[in-house]
Amino acid sequence: VGRDTRPSGPMLRQAVAAALLSTGHDVWDLGVATTPTTELAVQESEAVGGIIITASHNPQPWNALKFLEGRGLFLTAAQNAELRERLAAGARHATAAGLGAWSERGGADDRHLAALLALPWLDRERIAARRLRAVVDAVEGAGGGIVPRLLAALGVACVPLHCGLSGRFPHEPEPTPANLGELGAAVRAHGADLGFAVDPDVDRLALVGADGEPLSEELTLVLAVDFLLAREPGSVVVNLSTTGLIETAAGRHGAAVARAPVGEANVVAAMLANGAVIGGEGNGGVIYPRLHPGRDALVGIAMVLQEPFLLTGSVI
């Protein structure tokens, strides 16, 4: 179980833990952890599933549960139907002797960062040699700790903006251009090379150029696709609503693009079926299955820093 920083998170974590313990499940509590961090933790453990307590990009009063199966993937439509059937049938509570055990499981951020930094195309020395400065707007969400840590590991000077992990969002948390004015002003004020905005659970990434102008979140995946296909040939899968610039970027590398119905679970299922090397959604969601098959703003940041796309002002 992982959660974002919303004030209601600790309360819901206790409710979730109690429900799982009462049905005989052991609970590993990751504490504050991004959605991709929790997905990776489930994927690399013997856990039968995971629950992420987050309302993602929705306003602070909202909260919700994201369910993962044992491979760290979101539930498919069929699995969601089975979950609803089990819910309707009622819980089977354990006896006192069969209750589960709760424990904290630290180090999830460390393991996520280590996996990222071990990616074969990530040239840490090359990034550090460029002496970049980046402003990070984590909107007081779960990215406030791990995103600056990633930049430090890559030798990028980080100017934190709303990285305090308070869970009290200073502006609308969805990383769209309309909500990135403060980030753009900070990029200009600090003479930064670029800005990164993540949503509260860090599965979406939006970018601001050196001039302080926000880019459409649609362009995050375009840049990631163009970057990766130059290094790992293969196919691409995106959802039906993602920009047609994906085909333009893939065409530069002779790569095929497949389209899946809207919904991350649908995109991931198509990626795994097609053996796609990269994919995602045009809302700033980059999926790189070699790391884990889920949207991950951190892997998007690593890809953008590898090449000077934003610094030149050219996209495609």
Side-chain angles (χ1 to χ4, degrees), residues 72-301:
L73 308 179
F74 288 124
L75 304 187
T76 63
Q79 289 169 328
N80 272 300
E82 181 184 355
L83 179 63
R84 288 193 294 272
E85 290 174 3
R86 293 191 178 203
L87 178 63
R92 293 190 294 257
H93 293 285
T95 64
L99 296 177
W102 176 89
S103 61
E104 293 182 351
R105 189 175 178 87
D109 283 1
D110 295 338
R111 292 186 290 274
H112 190 176
L113 290 171
L116 259 170
L117 296 172
L119 293 173
W121 43 258
L122 188 59
D123 188 339
R124 297 168 66 178
E125 292 184 359
R126 180 183 179 190
I127 294 172
R130 293 171 58 208
R131 300 183 181 278
L132 298 173
R133 179 183 300 274
V135 182
V136 173
D137 183 356
V139 75
E140 294 295 323
I146 193 170
V147 176
R149 286 186 61 190
L150 173 63
L151 296 185
L154 296 175
V156 176
C158 176
V159 179
L161 179 65
H162 307 311
C163 291
L165 300 167
S166 73
R168 303 195 179 278
F169 306 155
H171 57 76
E172 288 297 316
E174 187 167 15
T176 58
N179 299 325
L180 302 183
E182 187 180 4
L183 175 59
V187 168
R188 290 189 294 269
H190 291 276
D193 300 289
L194 71 170
F196 295 118
V198 296
D199 64 338
D201 71 326
V202 199
D203 60 0
R204 291 173 59 177
L205 171 67
L207 308 169
V208 168
D211 58 1
E213 290 300 314
L215 301 183
S216 166
E217 66 273 25
E218 289 277 355
L219 295 179
T220 301
L221 184 56
V222 176
L223 295 174
V225 166
D226 192 49
F227 163 80
L228 189 76
L229 291 179
R231 292 152 180 83
E232 293 185 20
S235 63
V236 181
V237 174
V238 297
N239 69 18
L240 291 168
S241 65
T242 297
T243 174
L245 281 174
I246 292 294
E247 277 80 4
T248 302
R252 287 160 51 104
H253 307 281
V257 177
R259 298 250 172 189
V262 172
E264 182 176 344
N266 297 322
V267 174
V268 169
M271 290 182 70
L272 297 178
N274 293 331
V277 296
I278 192 170
E281 298 182 295
N283 57 10
V286 178
I287 301 174
Y288 179 55
R290 182 167 182 167
L291 180 64
H292 70 97
R295 294 181 302 179
D296 188 338
L298 294 159
V299 78
I301 289 170

Side-chain angles (χ1 to χ4, degrees), residues 22 78 185 197 254 270:
S22 76

Side-chain angles (χ1 to χ4, degrees), residues 25-51:
H25 293 87
D26 294 336
V27 176
W28 290 342
D29 183 4
L30 303 182
V32 172
T34 74
T35 283
T37 301
T38 307
E39 291 172 341
L40 190 64
V42 173
Q43 173 184 301
E44 296 188 342
S45 73
E46 64 270 31
V48 298
I51 296 177

